[in-house]
């Protein structure tokens, strides 16, 4: 691993945006995931949201989509880019008292969309926390991670499962 | 737990900002924490950052502070508020190949700062991911949680340890 | 009406933020309203949104709340302020093929919240347009207006009905 | 109209950004319009703005242009895009005590600019309201609508006149 | 000067927002200034702006006011605050081929408004550059500085003249 | 110079974004520079920042990069664009008690990146001011200017030295 280095620092150790001017514009896709762990009662209340008691996941989905669009404003060295697709899915897992979140982002561009997908998952998770914190302050956001990416010089990548 | 309900929904199940107009202005403080788990080599590279090879944690600290200020723009039903203090600490844990992040937010106001602290931790974690992803795409953000809060009607709260 | 003048211009005609430094901090409330007029079929599709076909109004509600918080960023001479409450209501009016929108904003401060309420209505209306434009490009946003305000030097005001 | 559906919802009724990844990049243009209705005296004051008493419409024009650029931040499911032109025109109509606003947006891209033009009109209208509300709180924003669009799969569209 | 230190760093040299939680809320005011130096012909064109050829300074004034409101989003360790007044003045100086800019900001709060005034001046200056760069790319922004401040623990301060 | 005119105004003197729809997409690059002048002691404290006393320039670098990305939000008539590179360099000049700042921006697009580079320099300079103002309120930002640009219809340009 001798030659590995952080791409955001120059030879003097100064942080800068990576120069992608000369990179080819290719189709890029990234999938990120994460989970919010909570009490069983809290999960039951969220699950009822489908039936007109207040839909926590609908609000979290919008928050996640909007956050993906703000990624370059949040992560200092991210490039601005024009997402062509952001999709979030939520999965209610009663066995593990969890809501699992998955975000998929796409674009054709010179830089990948991993950070956009991770940001969407993180902000969707925080929104779930916000809306449920009055009943369950002990919720945790866990295992926020990149699931897969494609496109760009580094090509395909999938998390070991 | 019969009487518990989500505070962000009205009787018809519509999401709205909680009305805090009549709440007293009190001193509020919240501490949140979370961890980024990575390969040992990646952690070693971050640890070297102190010594002029490029300081990942300095960038993540700034990102976290700025994200705390953007919280009400990211989390749909959060109130705008005027933080009087945001502090982030990072702890390099070689035993667990982790960077632990801790954020403390303060203000005197009508609403708590839990979400600001959690947002600071999450965005600092994502920034670490961004800066290290060229060498380690498998990093995960874990255990983002509220550690403690004080102030407001619900008073003191600490996570069970 | 001889003595009336626009408060945002100084004696030389230069636009500036009104100086509210010396105004008392009082409780302020404003209600604004507006309507989106559309085809009967479009309204029927929105009305079905309650029943799991996709809830247009839930998305519009979130957009309106977030826009109220961004008001001082959108309207150049508005003061930044800290809303303590934003609520949006939607009313489906089949007789007039309209969705009526109503927003109520509150805070204790030195300046009113009329613009915040009007911004919430306008952006909620635009969001309805956005989500329905694939089936009905001819929708119009109508009669966006202040309904009432209270607090501040000018006191109570209600629109003539 | 049986097969019509809202493009922003998937089969389960979940709101998501429309995936435009595979759409062709074409030249797009959209024109939107709207009107601010007011008292005759208020209109007279605005009309004098050209002559150094304070130019309400100059401020509204800047606000509208900046709002067009913020569209994807305001409307939750709008794609980020790079406008190549935004123009606003104002027309003082003494017969109807109205300021008519017209915005034209352009770009070459995978998605249309209707929402950008509508957002520009709406925020310009709100800015006129803001600057004149000290003398006329009863102003209304009326008939905000798409006038025409071209480009993209749905091609040319003009509002029935 | 032995005991002087930068207030934004803690004992370990980590950058953090200064904790102002315990500071008294006092009336604060700050005046900043700066100049844009240009060719005589460019200045003449700007000066004609009052007479319907296009008012560069009106646009710069709006840009400066809006930038003051964004200060805490631009300057990483600035606190969010609620300005009660922002005023910009421009002075055309034909002897020195300069536009002089002056911004005054006010609020009652726990932290000063120096940065808001400096940001307003800087962004107004950049806006002048932007609008004139087609005819004069060699313009420079000079002598951006704090002129005076009052309020807060450090009290009155005026620049040596 | 008879035919010179400001490109942001139409024939009626109304400010609008320049229409770049028909401009070719070319490689663009711009370099801007500026200086912060301060007391010798202040400069000495900044210079020590490399050695763990708190790194002012690292924070200013991040602020400048993020500001470049926000340029079209700050400067009213700037087009949104997608920077592919932003780099900032700082040079400590003990002879003149100055920190010199230089920013280089790049992209392939229809409009230049001069304003992005100038914005990066200005906000980096203001951030230095912010972090040092507790010890030296008399610092000034000087000589913010375009150094060179390439690409686009107007081609190469360099400041006279």
């Amino acid at each position: 691993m001798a030659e590995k280095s952080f791409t955001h620092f120059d030879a003097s150790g100064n942080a800068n945006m990576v120069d992608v001017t000369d990179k080819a514009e290719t189709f890029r896709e990234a999938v990120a995931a994460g989970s919010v762990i909570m009490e069983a009662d809290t999960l039951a209340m969220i699950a009822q949201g489908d039936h007109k008691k207040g839909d926590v996941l609908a609000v979290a989905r919008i928050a996640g989509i909007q956050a993906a669009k703000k990624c370059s404003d949040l992560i200092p060295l991210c490039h601005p880019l024009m997402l062509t697709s952001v999709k979030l899915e939520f999965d209610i897992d009663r066995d593990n008292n969890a809501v699992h979140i998955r975000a998929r982002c796409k674009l054709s561009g010179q830089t990948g969309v991993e950070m956009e997908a991770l940001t969407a998952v993180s902000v969707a998770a925080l929104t779930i926390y916000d809306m449920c914190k009055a009943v369950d302050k002990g919720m945790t956001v866990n295992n926020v991670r990149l699931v897969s990416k494609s496109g760009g010089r580094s090509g395909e990548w999938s998390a070991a499962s």
Side-chain angles (χ1 to χ4, degrees), chain A:
Chain A
M1 192 171 156
E3 75 275 33
K4 279 196 179 176
S5 67
F6 291 149
T7 47
H8 288 98
F9 295 104
D10 62 20
S12 316
N14 296 322
N16 271 310
M17 206 186 256
V18 175
D19 187 344
V20 298
T21 311
D22 298 327
K23 285 176 121 175
E25 197 166 294
T26 65
F27 173 73
R28 316 268 183 160
E29 188 167 354
V31 177
S35 303
V36 186
I37 314 299
M38 59 192 74
E39 292 179 20
D41 286 349
T42 311
L43 189 69
M45 290 175 72
I46 290 176
Q48 286 174 337
D50 293 340
H51 313 299
K52 285 282 278 176
K53 296 289 294 284
D55 192 344
V56 169
L57 301 184
V59 180
R61 187 187 311 276
I62 297 299
I65 292 170
Q66 289 190 293
K69 293 189 276 185
K70 282 188 226 286
C71 179
S72 73
D73 192 40
L74 290 171
I75 311 296
L77 302 178
C78 272
H79 297 82
L81 46 76
M82 292 196 305
L83 291 166
T84 52
S85 179
V86 183
K87 284 202 197 312
L88 277 93
E89 287 167 44
F90 298 93
D91 182 31
I92 289 178
D93 173 359
R94 288 170 210 269
D95 292 341
N96 298 295
N97 290 332
V99 176
H100 302 303
I101 309 170
R102 182 171 282 249
R104 180 182 301 265
C105 293
K106 300 184 194 172
L107 94 163
S108 282
Q110 293 167 294
T111 177
V113 289
E114 296 94 312
M115 294 316 301
E116 282 70 16
L118 286 162
T119 300
V121 167
S122 296
V123 171
L126 292 175
T127 300
I128 293 173
Y129 187 96
D130 180 46
M131 300 190 76
C132 302
K133 69 180 190 290
V135 302
D136 186 0
K137 286 186 180 47
M139 288 174 288
T140 61
V141 181
N142 253 343
N143 207 12
V144 176
R145 67 201 183 278
L146 186 64
V147 172
S148 65
K149 69 165 284 280
S150 62
R153 200 167 41 193
S154 69
E156 301 279 330
W157 183 90
S158 293
S161 57

